[in-house]
Amino acid sequence: QQRTYMLATSSTTSDATYHRGHALSIPGMSLSHDGGQILFTTTDEDVTLRHGLVTGLVGSNGCGKTSLARVLASGRLPGFPSGLVVEYLAASDDEELLLLEADGECDDKGEGGVSGGELSPDISLSYKPIEYIQSKVRRRSEQLIYEITTLEEELERGSDGEDLERLSERLSDLYDLQETIHERVERELHRSVSELGLDRHENKPLICLSSGWRYKCRLAAAFLVHPDMLIIDEPSFLDDDSTQWFVDQTKRAAE
């Protein structure tokens, strides 16, 4: 049975605030589910996720870590920025697909919401590892093109000085990100597939692979698409070499 989780700020006058390239700040908050049970509260202090900083959430089983990750990935927190691209890796792909279906984020076209355009289960599981990663990168590129086009049109319509500076800075950041993704995919796609051992299964569709191999495929795609926020719930299925790859990629993502 699917439960509905609610993450609320402790103040009715203060929502989450986001300063692009700097931090997402959430005022003191509480997390509860539809049964009324409060999983945790942080009413005395803000929760701040800083750009370029890897943040770990540690707690005992059942305290609400995964529930918090789901709510953040859903983008439903009051004041959560609508344009923020969040990539969420559930602990298992079965859980991730169930979440997407329950939230209505998977349709027959494979169009997604905050999660960065997740593929529908039928489509994604028919792809081979490299095809899946390329499809995720392609969707991220399409998002960037749409946002770039929108900002260019806003600039052409004209704005006041402050808005003009903000739009110009954001547009410059998007141009740089577009180039970075293209360069990294060209340089690192096949290397990541090899380092994770996925090349041994490169001709098999995902549906024929174990959960562990599918997880590695999703993990490689998540780093290559350069989301604004990457949420990884209990990274698992990683041997020593894959763990080192994960650590290196995490450090690079935080640069």
Side-chain angles (χ1 to χ4, degrees):
Q1 181 180 1
Q2 287 286 335
R3 275 181 165 169
T4 301
Y5 290 88
M6 178 177 295
L7 182 65
T9 58
S10 61
S11 171
T12 58
T13 60
S14 182
D15 291 340
T17 58
Y18 177 58
H19 303 284
R20 185 171 291 280
H22 295 284
L24 171 68
S25 295
I26 307 170
M29 60 185 181
S30 64
L31 179 69
S32 61
H33 60 61
D34 53 6
Q37 178 184 356
I38 296 178
L39 297 178
F40 67 78
T41 60
T42 60
T43 54
D44 296 330
E45 56 184 301
D46 292 354
V47 174
T48 301
L49 304 176
R50 299 191 181 280
H51 178 79
L53 184 67
V54 179
T55 302
L57 183 61
V58 180
S60 59
N61 290 340
C63 72
K65 301 185 298 296
T66 292
S67 300
L68 174 60
R70 291 174 181 173
V71 174
L72 286 175
S74 75
R76 294 174 184 147
L77 181 69
F80 197 90
S82 59
L84 195 70
V85 176
V86 181
E87 191 74 23
Y88 171 59
L89 264 72
S92 70
D93 54 357
D94 291 338
E95 177 193 359
E96 187 165 273
L97 294 176
L98 284 172
L99 286 170
L100 291 166
E101 290 169 346
D103 288 342
E105 292 178 3
C106 273
D107 58 20
D108 57 357
K109 298 179 182 178
E111 294 176 349
V114 177
S115 62
E118 189 58 67
L119 300 170
S120 67
D122 290 343
I123 294 175
S124 65
L125 292 179
S126 69
Y127 283 154
K128 297 171 185 176
I130 289 180
E131 291 174 339
Y132 172 80
I133 297 171
Q134 289 173 330
S135 69
K136 292 282 289 184
V137 172
R138 184 166 58 250
R139 284 172 172 268
R140 179 70 167 117
S141 297
E142 290 170 356
Q143 285 181 324
L144 288 173
I145 291 171
Y146 175 80
E147 189 172 355
I148 286 172
T149 301
T150 301
L151 288 177
E152 288 174 339
E153 291 173 352
E154 286 188 45
L155 284 172
E156 288 178 1
R157 288 194 295 268
S159 304
D160 59 37
E162 186 174 334
D163 281 343
L164 184 63
E165 182 178 358
R166 176 182 59 82
L167 291 174
S168 297
E169 288 180 357
R170 177 56 181 159
L171 193 57
S172 177
D173 290 341
L174 290 175
Y175 286 143
D176 290 342
L177 180 57
Q178 192 177 41
E179 183 177 354
T180 296
I181 291 176
H182 176 75
E183 290 179 350
R184 284 198 64 184
V185 169
E186 289 290 322
R187 185 176 64 247
E188 297 182 17
L189 172 56
H190 291 279
R191 186 171 69 189
S192 294
V193 166
S194 176
E195 290 180 357
L196 288 171
L198 286 164
D199 52 341
R200 286 174 275 172
H201 304 283
E202 61 183 357
N203 293 318
K204 296 180 182 178
L206 297 188
I207 197 169
C208 295
L209 299 180
S210 67
S211 296
W213 288 114
R214 290 200 297 266
Y215 185 86
K216 289 181 178 181
C217 190
R218 290 161 47 220
L219 192 61
F223 280 110
L224 283 174
V225 299
H226 279 262
D228 296 315
M229 180 187 296
L230 175 57
I231 302 174
I232 303 177
D233 188 4
E234 297 186 16
S236 51
F237 305 109
L238 302 177
D239 55 24
D240 290 345
D241 290 340
S242 298
T243 298
Q244 186 58 55
W245 176 91
F246 173 73
V247 170
D248 293 341
Q249 292 295 319
T250 302
K251 289 178 178 178
R252 294 186 63 180
E255 292 177 350

